[in-house]
Short mmCIF file of all heavy atoms in Angstrom, two decimals:
data_model
loop_
_atom_site.label_atom_id
_atom_site.label_comp_id
_atom_site.label_asym_id
_atom_site.label_seq_id
_atom_site.Cartn_x
_atom_site.Cartn_y
_atom_site.Cartn_z
N ARG K 2 18.44 -129.06 9.21
CA ARG K 2 17.15 -128.96 9.91
C ARG K 2 16.06 -128.74 8.83
O ARG K 2 14.93 -129.30 8.95
CB ARG K 2 17.27 -127.81 10.93
CG ARG K 2 15.98 -127.65 11.78
CD ARG K 2 15.77 -128.72 12.88
NE ARG K 2 14.86 -129.76 12.38
CZ ARG K 2 14.86 -130.98 12.75
NH1 ARG K 2 15.75 -131.42 13.60
NH2 ARG K 2 13.95 -131.84 12.29
N GLY K 3 16.29 -127.81 7.89
CA GLY K 3 15.28 -127.49 6.86
C GLY K 3 15.00 -128.76 6.07
O GLY K 3 13.84 -129.00 5.72
N HIS K 4 16.05 -129.52 5.68
CA HIS K 4 15.83 -130.77 4.97
C HIS K 4 14.94 -131.77 5.72
O HIS K 4 14.09 -132.27 5.28
CB HIS K 4 17.17 -131.34 4.55
CG HIS K 4 17.07 -132.67 3.97
ND1 HIS K 4 16.58 -132.85 2.67
CD2 HIS K 4 17.44 -133.87 4.32
CE1 HIS K 4 16.59 -134.13 2.28
NE2 HIS K 4 17.16 -134.77 3.29
N LEU K 5 15.34 -131.96 7.01
CA LEU K 5 14.60 -132.91 7.85
C LEU K 5 13.11 -132.46 7.97
O LEU K 5 12.20 -133.27 7.96
CB LEU K 5 15.24 -133.06 9.21
CG LEU K 5 16.69 -133.73 9.11
CD1 LEU K 5 17.30 -133.70 10.53
CD2 LEU K 5 16.54 -135.22 8.61
N ASP K 6 12.96 -131.10 8.15
CA ASP K 6 11.62 -130.67 8.33
C ASP K 6 10.74 -130.83 7.00
O ASP K 6 9.55 -131.11 7.03
CB ASP K 6 11.53 -129.22 8.72
CG ASP K 6 12.07 -128.99 10.22
OD1 ASP K 6 12.14 -130.07 10.91
OD2 ASP K 6 12.25 -127.93 10.60
N ALA K 7 11.43 -130.55 5.88
CA ALA K 7 10.70 -130.92 4.54
C ALA K 7 10.39 -132.30 4.45
O ALA K 7 9.29 -132.73 4.01
CB ALA K 7 11.65 -130.41 3.44
N LEU K 8 11.25 -133.21 4.86
CA LEU K 8 10.97 -134.61 4.85
C LEU K 8 9.78 -135.03 5.79
O LEU K 8 8.89 -135.83 5.44
CB LEU K 8 12.18 -135.45 5.27
CG LEU K 8 13.24 -135.46 4.22
CD1 LEU K 8 14.47 -136.29 4.77
CD2 LEU K 8 12.85 -136.18 2.89
N ALA K 9 9.69 -134.38 6.89
CA ALA K 9 8.64 -134.56 7.87
C ALA K 9 7.35 -134.16 7.23
O ALA K 9 6.26 -134.81 7.47
CB ALA K 9 8.93 -133.92 9.18
N THR K 10 7.38 -132.98 6.47
CA THR K 10 6.21 -132.53 5.83
C THR K 10 5.74 -133.47 4.79
O THR K 10 4.48 -133.85 4.69
CB THR K 10 6.48 -131.15 5.13
OG1 THR K 10 6.94 -130.21 6.19
CG2 THR K 10 5.31 -130.60 4.47
N GLN K 11 6.70 -133.98 4.01
CA GLN K 11 6.31 -134.96 2.96
C GLN K 11 5.72 -136.25 3.53
O GLN K 11 4.70 -136.78 3.03
CB GLN K 11 7.62 -135.30 2.17
CG GLN K 11 7.52 -136.33 1.13
CD GLN K 11 8.81 -136.78 0.49
OE1 GLN K 11 9.82 -136.72 1.19
NE2 GLN K 11 8.85 -137.08 -0.74
N ARG K 12 6.36 -136.77 4.65
CA ARG K 12 5.79 -137.95 5.29
C ARG K 12 4.39 -137.75 5.83
O ARG K 12 3.46 -138.61 5.62
CB ARG K 12 6.74 -138.49 6.42
CG ARG K 12 7.89 -139.21 5.95
CD ARG K 12 8.56 -139.92 7.15
NE ARG K 12 8.93 -138.95 8.21
CZ ARG K 12 10.09 -138.24 8.21
NH1 ARG K 12 10.97 -138.39 7.26
NH2 ARG K 12 10.33 -137.35 9.25
N MET K 13 4.20 -136.61 6.48
CA MET K 13 2.81 -136.28 6.95
C MET K 13 1.78 -136.21 5.89
O MET K 13 0.74 -136.85 6.02
CB MET K 13 2.84 -134.93 7.76
CG MET K 13 1.62 -134.66 8.51
SD MET K 13 1.13 -132.88 8.48
CE MET K 13 0.68 -132.58 6.79
N LEU K 14 2.06 -135.52 4.89
CA LEU K 14 1.13 -135.44 3.70
C LEU K 14 0.87 -136.84 3.09
O LEU K 14 -0.35 -137.13 2.75
CB LEU K 14 1.65 -134.47 2.68
CG LEU K 14 1.68 -133.08 3.17
CD1 LEU K 14 2.44 -132.23 2.03
CD2 LEU K 14 0.36 -132.47 3.41
N ALA K 15 1.90 -137.64 2.97
CA ALA K 15 1.66 -138.99 2.34
C ALA K 15 0.86 -139.84 3.38
O ALA K 15 -0.10 -140.57 2.94
CB ALA K 15 3.05 -139.65 2.12
N GLY K 16 1.20 -139.77 4.63
CA GLY K 16 0.38 -140.51 5.66
C GLY K 16 -1.06 -140.07 5.77
O GLY K 16 -1.89 -140.91 6.03
N LEU K 17 -1.35 -138.88 5.40
CA LEU K 17 -2.76 -138.41 5.46
C LEU K 17 -3.43 -138.54 4.12
O LEU K 17 -4.59 -138.13 3.98
CB LEU K 17 -2.83 -136.91 5.98
CG LEU K 17 -2.33 -136.60 7.34
CD1 LEU K 17 -2.34 -135.15 7.69
CD2 LEU K 17 -3.27 -137.35 8.38
N SER K 18 -2.67 -138.98 3.12
CA SER K 18 -3.16 -139.13 1.79
C SER K 18 -3.68 -137.74 1.22
O SER K 18 -4.72 -137.65 0.59
CB SER K 18 -4.31 -140.16 1.64
OG SER K 18 -3.87 -141.41 2.01
N SER K 19 -2.90 -136.68 1.61
CA SER K 19 -3.31 -135.38 1.19
C SER K 19 -3.02 -135.15 -0.35
O SER K 19 -1.97 -135.65 -0.75
CB SER K 19 -2.61 -134.40 2.05
OG SER K 19 -2.84 -132.99 1.62
N ALA K 20 -3.91 -134.38 -0.92
CA ALA K 20 -3.63 -134.07 -2.33
C ALA K 20 -2.87 -132.62 -2.48
O ALA K 20 -2.77 -132.10 -3.54
CB ALA K 20 -4.89 -134.10 -3.13
N ARG K 21 -2.52 -132.08 -1.36
CA ARG K 21 -1.86 -130.77 -1.39
C ARG K 21 -0.61 -130.77 -2.27
O ARG K 21 0.16 -131.71 -2.19
CB ARG K 21 -1.41 -130.34 -0.02
CG ARG K 21 -2.57 -130.30 1.06
CD ARG K 21 -3.38 -129.10 0.91
NE ARG K 21 -4.57 -129.31 1.77
CZ ARG K 21 -5.34 -128.38 2.12
NH1 ARG K 21 -5.22 -127.18 1.63
NH2 ARG K 21 -6.37 -128.63 2.94
N ARG K 22 -0.46 -129.79 -3.07
CA ARG K 22 0.66 -129.80 -3.99
C ARG K 22 1.83 -129.03 -3.51
O ARG K 22 2.94 -129.25 -3.92
CB ARG K 22 0.16 -129.20 -5.37
CG ARG K 22 -1.02 -129.86 -5.97
CD ARG K 22 -0.95 -130.78 -7.04
NE ARG K 22 0.19 -130.73 -7.87
CZ ARG K 22 0.35 -130.07 -9.05
NH1 ARG K 22 -0.70 -129.37 -9.42
NH2 ARG K 22 1.38 -130.12 -9.75
N LEU K 23 1.62 -128.05 -2.65
CA LEU K 23 2.73 -127.19 -2.10
C LEU K 23 2.46 -126.98 -0.64
O LEU K 23 1.37 -126.46 -0.27
CB LEU K 23 2.85 -125.89 -2.84
CG LEU K 23 3.81 -124.85 -2.28
CD1 LEU K 23 5.20 -125.38 -2.50
CD2 LEU K 23 3.67 -123.51 -3.03
N THR K 24 3.29 -127.44 0.25
CA THR K 24 3.14 -127.26 1.62
C THR K 24 4.47 -126.91 2.31
O THR K 24 5.45 -127.47 1.95
CB THR K 24 2.57 -128.59 2.23
OG1 THR K 24 1.40 -128.91 1.48
CG2 THR K 24 2.25 -128.39 3.70
N SER K 25 4.40 -126.00 3.28
CA SER K 25 5.63 -125.73 4.13
C SER K 25 5.44 -126.21 5.47
O SER K 25 4.36 -126.43 5.99
CB SER K 25 5.83 -124.23 4.07
OG SER K 25 4.91 -123.63 5.01
N TYR K 26 6.62 -126.60 5.96
CA TYR K 26 6.61 -127.16 7.45
C TYR K 26 6.04 -126.12 8.37
O TYR K 26 5.36 -126.60 9.34
CB TYR K 26 8.08 -127.49 7.84
CG TYR K 26 8.24 -128.10 9.15
CD1 TYR K 26 7.88 -129.48 9.26
CD2 TYR K 26 8.68 -127.49 10.25
CE1 TYR K 26 7.92 -130.12 10.48
CE2 TYR K 26 8.74 -128.10 11.49
CZ TYR K 26 8.38 -129.38 11.60
OH TYR K 26 8.51 -130.06 12.82
N ASP K 27 6.24 -124.85 8.11
CA ASP K 27 5.58 -123.92 9.03
C ASP K 27 4.06 -124.07 9.08
O ASP K 27 3.53 -123.83 10.06
CB ASP K 27 5.99 -122.45 8.59
CG ASP K 27 7.45 -122.14 8.76
OD1 ASP K 27 8.17 -122.83 9.44
OD2 ASP K 27 7.92 -121.26 7.98
N GLU K 28 3.46 -124.41 7.97
CA GLU K 28 2.00 -124.58 7.93
C GLU K 28 1.53 -125.81 8.66
O GLU K 28 0.46 -125.87 9.05
CB GLU K 28 1.58 -124.69 6.53
CG GLU K 28 1.72 -123.45 5.64
CD GLU K 28 1.29 -123.74 4.24
OE1 GLU K 28 1.95 -124.58 3.55
OE2 GLU K 28 0.35 -123.14 3.80
N VAL K 29 2.36 -126.86 8.69
CA VAL K 29 1.87 -128.13 9.29
C VAL K 29 2.64 -128.67 10.45
O VAL K 29 2.42 -129.84 10.80
CB VAL K 29 1.95 -129.18 8.11
CG1 VAL K 29 1.12 -128.79 6.88
CG2 VAL K 29 3.41 -129.38 7.65
N GLU K 30 3.45 -127.92 11.08
CA GLU K 30 4.25 -128.43 12.15
C GLU K 30 3.41 -129.15 13.23
O GLU K 30 3.70 -130.22 13.69
CB GLU K 30 5.09 -127.31 12.80
CG GLU K 30 6.09 -127.84 13.80
CD GLU K 30 7.06 -126.74 14.31
OE1 GLU K 30 6.88 -125.57 13.93
OE2 GLU K 30 7.99 -127.09 15.01
N LEU K 31 2.34 -128.38 13.69
CA LEU K 31 1.45 -128.98 14.72
C LEU K 31 0.87 -130.21 14.22
O LEU K 31 0.83 -131.27 14.91
CB LEU K 31 0.37 -127.97 15.11
CG LEU K 31 -0.65 -128.54 16.15
CD1 LEU K 31 -0.02 -128.85 17.47
CD2 LEU K 31 -1.77 -127.53 16.34
N VAL K 32 0.23 -130.24 12.98
CA VAL K 32 -0.33 -131.46 12.44
C VAL K 32 0.65 -132.54 12.29
O VAL K 32 0.41 -133.75 12.58
CB VAL K 32 -1.04 -131.10 11.18
CG1 VAL K 32 -1.66 -132.45 10.54
CG2 VAL K 32 -2.14 -130.09 11.34
N ALA K 33 1.92 -132.26 11.91
CA ALA K 33 2.94 -133.30 11.81
C ALA K 33 3.24 -133.96 13.12
O ALA K 33 3.40 -135.16 13.24
CB ALA K 33 4.26 -132.66 11.27
N LEU K 34 3.25 -133.14 14.18
CA LEU K 34 3.47 -133.67 15.59
C LEU K 34 2.25 -134.56 16.00
O LEU K 34 2.40 -135.59 16.54
CB LEU K 34 3.60 -132.57 16.59
CG LEU K 34 4.89 -131.76 16.45
CD1 LEU K 34 4.90 -130.59 17.39
CD2 LEU K 34 6.07 -132.69 16.84
N LEU K 35 1.06 -134.03 15.62
CA LEU K 35 -0.20 -134.78 16.06
C LEU K 35 -0.42 -136.15 15.32
O LEU K 35 -0.97 -137.10 15.75
CB LEU K 35 -1.39 -133.91 15.79
CG LEU K 35 -1.61 -132.80 16.75
CD1 LEU K 35 -2.77 -131.96 16.24
CD2 LEU K 35 -1.87 -133.31 18.15
N THR K 36 0.10 -136.20 14.10
CA THR K 36 -0.04 -137.36 13.25
C THR K 36 1.10 -138.38 13.18
O THR K 36 1.04 -139.22 12.30
CB THR K 36 -0.52 -136.97 11.85
OG1 THR K 36 0.50 -136.18 11.19
CG2 THR K 36 -1.89 -136.17 11.85
N ARG K 37 2.10 -138.22 13.96
CA ARG K 37 3.24 -139.11 13.95
C ARG K 37 2.74 -140.55 14.19
O ARG K 37 3.30 -141.55 13.72
CB ARG K 37 4.27 -138.73 15.00
CG ARG K 37 5.10 -137.65 14.44
CD ARG K 37 6.38 -137.50 15.30
NE ARG K 37 7.26 -136.50 14.74
CZ ARG K 37 8.06 -135.74 15.41
NH1 ARG K 37 8.24 -135.90 16.74
NH2 ARG K 37 8.71 -134.82 14.80
N ASP K 38 1.69 -140.74 14.99
CA ASP K 38 1.07 -141.98 15.28
C ASP K 38 -0.38 -141.90 14.63
O ASP K 38 -1.24 -141.39 15.34
CB ASP K 38 0.97 -142.28 16.77
CG ASP K 38 0.24 -143.60 17.07
OD1 ASP K 38 -0.28 -144.25 16.17
OD2 ASP K 38 0.22 -144.05 18.26
N PRO K 39 -0.51 -142.26 13.40
CA PRO K 39 -1.75 -142.06 12.71
C PRO K 39 -2.98 -142.66 13.38
O PRO K 39 -4.06 -142.04 13.42
CB PRO K 39 -1.55 -142.74 11.27
CG PRO K 39 -0.07 -142.80 11.17
CD PRO K 39 0.47 -142.94 12.51
N GLU K 40 -2.76 -143.83 13.98
CA GLU K 40 -3.93 -144.45 14.74
C GLU K 40 -4.35 -143.60 15.83
O GLU K 40 -5.62 -143.41 16.09
CB GLU K 40 -3.49 -145.82 15.14
CG GLU K 40 -4.58 -146.91 15.25
CD GLU K 40 -4.07 -148.18 15.65
OE1 GLU K 40 -3.31 -148.76 14.75
OE2 GLU K 40 -4.42 -148.68 16.70
#
């Protein structure tokens, strides 16, 4: 679960073109859910 959540964090940051260098799933769980469909 931790591995999958880290991958979700990575995908979300890449999809948002974020320059964040260190991010935890706990910080972005809501945003990850909101941005699954970027459009």
